[in-house]
Amino acid sequence: MCGAIFDAPTARNQLAALEKITSAADFWQDQEKAQATLQQRKQLEDRAGAIATLDTKTSDLDTYFHLVAEEANDAQRDALLGDISAELDAADKFVSELETKTLLSGESDRMNAILTIKPGAGGTESQDWAEMLLRMYLRWAEGKGFRATIIDSTPGEEAGIKSATVQIEGENAFGLLAGESGVHRLVRISPFDQAARRHTSFASVFVIPEIDDRIEIVVKPDELRIDTFRAGGHGGQNVNKVESAVRFTHLPTGIVVQCQNERSQHKNREIAIKVLRSRLYELELEKRRGDVAKLDATKSDISFGSQIRSYTMQPYQLIKDHRTKVERGDIQKVLDGDIDSFIRAYLLSRRAPGPAQA
């Protein structure tokens, strides 16, 4: 049952106030602030238009039902019933997406996301699994119309990746992906095992919000160790010949971030400091919640018993989320980026009150 409440009048009033800001002569003087304002305006436009869209869908369905009731021709009636089925599916998807948005009320949910993937023990097997997860999230972001940029990636020796960090820009990107943090377990017949035996692999996913300039996080220059190095890659004419990649070590916390995506060292520094500020922000939030141990996913054992979700490819096909108990058998569709059902179930479980204690 959907418990969403859409306050269209308030959204329209806020939109009117934003229109005055965007029409100001000096609006584009601060590019980042202007982009943030435009993103806020889009969110309000979506909220204000939600009720109108629902009214339209309801009216369309009502018209279809009247046409079916009055249609005497069996073939025409069947065609109309097919249209009704399609309209109901579209309406259900629309309402589900709206409900998901209403579940994103945290102070960081609206922000972009920074997602890091690391393989567990197991060498090539786990590194290949980590790359499969990376592809899954990139495909998910593409399907959402989000912008995903790999800002750092270390390839494995034979296959897969040793680590990857991705910046995902889009409405509520962090709120949607926050529940993906944790250990993901894969069971399959290994393509790297000549005996075709079944293997279990693990990889961790760690998601933090990318903070904007409205949140003040001070990074003192004397607290940083800055290293530069040549960007890695698989070789070829385009591999950097200069030390454009940057690694920042925050000495007080031991946090290490690096970026090698851009050819310009200046641009890599800019992205790396943004990731560092985001990690420091998340650290402060975790301190407030008194749960610092959960901050770094790599501190937990990436092994049996610690997974949030299991992906079984052989001897049967099943994906099971161990927190929400959601199960799906269309594993390839999920690995191609269709993870919204897991995201929505996690958000619903986070909102729902826990079971009564005996």
Side-chain angles (χ1 to χ4, degrees), residues 121-279:
T124 302
E125 279 291 335
S126 293
Q127 291 171 15
D128 187 56
W129 171 224
E131 187 171 44
M132 290 169 66
L133 285 174
L134 173 62
R135 176 184 177 275
M136 182 180 79
Y137 290 117
L138 291 176
R139 294 292 297 272
W140 173 83
E142 180 184 1
K144 287 289 182 185
F146 291 173
R147 179 183 176 186
T149 305
I150 299 176
I151 59 179
D152 181 54
S153 178
T154 304
E157 286 86 357
E158 298 180 37
I161 55 173
K162 291 182 177 179
S163 68
T165 300
V166 186
Q167 176 191 45
I168 299 180
E169 301 172 87
E171 182 183 353
N172 295 318
F174 173 71
L176 293 169
L177 288 171
E180 294 299 299
S181 285
V183 176
H184 296 244
R185 171 179 177 247
L186 172 69
V187 179
R188 65 170 175 174
I189 294 176
S190 170
F192 307 101
D193 187 340
Q194 293 183 349
R197 290 171 295 189
R198 209 165 31 141
H199 286 247
T200 300
S201 306
F202 299 89
S204 69
V205 176
F206 182 41
V207 186
I208 60 174
E210 179 190 278
I211 64 171
D212 54 33
D213 291 337
R214 287 173 285 183
I215 298 174
E216 186 177 357
I217 299 292
V218 178
V219 180
K220 298 178 181 179
D222 59 353
E223 294 178 345
L224 283 181
R225 185 175 74 238
I226 304 175
D227 302 304
T228 59
F229 56 98
R230 293 184 181 181
H234 294 287
Q237 296 179 351
N238 296 323
V239 175
N240 288 336
K241 301 298 191 298
V242 296
E243 293 187 342
S244 60
V246 177
R247 181 186 298 111
F248 287 165
T249 303
H250 188 247
L251 300 177
T253 61
I255 293 174
V256 179
V257 300
Q258 67 183 43
C259 181
Q260 57 179 321
N261 182 61
E262 303 293 334
R263 292 182 177 274
S264 161
Q265 186 185 115
H266 175 75
K267 187 65 176 177
N268 282 330
R269 281 173 174 261
E270 184 180 306
I271 295 173
I273 198 67
K274 184 179 289 188
V275 175
L276 176 60
R277 290 178 67 241
S278 294
R279 292 199 64 180

Side-chain angles (χ1 to χ4, degrees), residues 53-100:
T53 302
L54 284 172
D55 285 343
T56 299
K57 289 182 177 296
T58 302
S59 176
D60 289 346
L61 284 168
D62 189 53
T63 300
Y64 273 119
F65 281 120
H66 280 296
L67 290 173
V68 168
E70 296 172 358
E71 182 59 59
N73 183 281
D74 290 342
Q76 292 292 334
R77 188 186 302 111
D78 289 343
L80 287 170
L81 288 173
D83 291 338
I84 288 176
S85 178
E87 288 290 332
L88 284 172
D89 288 342
D92 180 65
K93 182 180 179 181
F94 182 75
V95 171
S96 295
E97 290 175 350
L98 286 179
E99 184 180 25
T100 298

Side-chain angles (χ1 to χ4, degrees), residues 317-352:
Q317 294 202 341
L318 179 69
I319 301 177
K320 180 176 181 179
D321 193 293
H322 301 287
R323 303 160 302 173
T324 63
K325 310 307 178 186
V326 170
E327 297 183 357
R328 288 180 58 179
D330 50 347
I331 189 166
Q332 190 56 54
K333 191 175 180 181
V334 173
L335 293 177
D336 284 339
D338 185 10
I339 58 174
D340 283 339
S341 58
F342 296 112
I343 290 173
R344 183 167 178 268
Y346 174 78
L347 292 172
L348 286 168
S349 69
R350 189 177 64 174
R351 181 187 69 175

